[in-house]
């Protein structure tokens, strides 16, 4: 079992920055991939970025160049640095941790609101 706790969400003006953190209760070395997603009400959860244990990253086109994912395996924590935020980035952001194809976990989510 892995418990994930996100933090760092909040209210920011357009053009501003936020840094999300996600702490895992279990050693992140047993977790293969960690990622960030977001979901608007009534819509499917959208992949934003993922990072492997080895540090290989992948980004959605919608955030490439603005968001940066990083991971501190010693602290069992994954981060999402979000720059040049836009009102359309307003969403609930979720952390994900994958142990295997059939063993993955979600955090409870953190709200990000970008005002125009």
């Amino acid at each position: 079992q892995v418990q994930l706790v996100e933090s760092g969400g909040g209210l920011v003006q357009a053009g501003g920055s936020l840094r999300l953190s996600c702490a895992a209760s279990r050693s992140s070395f047993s977790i293969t991939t960690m990622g960030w997603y977001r979901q608007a009400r009534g819509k499917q959860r959208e992949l934003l970025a993922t990072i492997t244990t080895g540090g290989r990253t992948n980004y959605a086109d919608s955030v490439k160049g603005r968001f940066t994912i990083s991971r501190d395996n010693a602290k069992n924590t994954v981060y999402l640095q979000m720059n040049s935020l836009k009102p359309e980035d307003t969403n609930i952001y979720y952390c994900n941790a994958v142990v295997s194809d059939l063993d993955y976990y979600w955090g409870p989510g953190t709200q990000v609101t970008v005002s125009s």
Side-chain angles (χ1 to χ4, degrees):
Q1 189 78 5
V2 178
Q3 290 185 326
L4 303 171
V5 179
E6 301 104 336
S7 61
L11 173 64
V12 64
Q13 287 190 328
S17 299
L18 282 175
R19 188 193 195 205
L20 304 183
S21 300
C22 173
S25 63
R26 173 171 161 179
S27 170
S28 62
F29 285 104
S30 64
I31 298 170
T32 56
T33 300
M34 298 188 78
W36 288 96
Y37 294 68
R38 65 188 179 192
Q39 185 173 23
R41 189 174 299 178
K43 294 190 177 182
Q44 279 193 319
R45 197 163 289 189
E46 174 192 8
L47 168 67
L48 300 177
T50 60
I51 185 167
T52 66
T53 304
R56 186 168 65 242
T57 59
N58 180 58
Y59 294 93
D61 288 341
S62 59
V63 303
K64 201 173 292 184
R66 298 191 300 127
F67 292 7
T68 302
I69 190 170
S70 60
R71 181 171 174 172
D72 186 334
N73 291 326
K75 294 182 178 180
N76 305 330
T77 301
V78 64
Y79 305 95
L80 186 68
Q81 177 66 43
M82 305 186 294
N83 299 328
S84 302
L85 283 163
K86 307 173 183 178
E88 52 263 43
D89 292 318
T90 295
N91 244 306
I92 300 176
Y93 285 68
Y94 297 90
C95 176
N96 171 264
V98 177
V99 176
S100 69
D101 287 349
L102 299 178
D103 191 12
Y104 54 92
Y105 303 88
W106 295 97
T110 185
Q111 176 70 46
V112 171
T113 303
V114 184
S115 63
S116 57

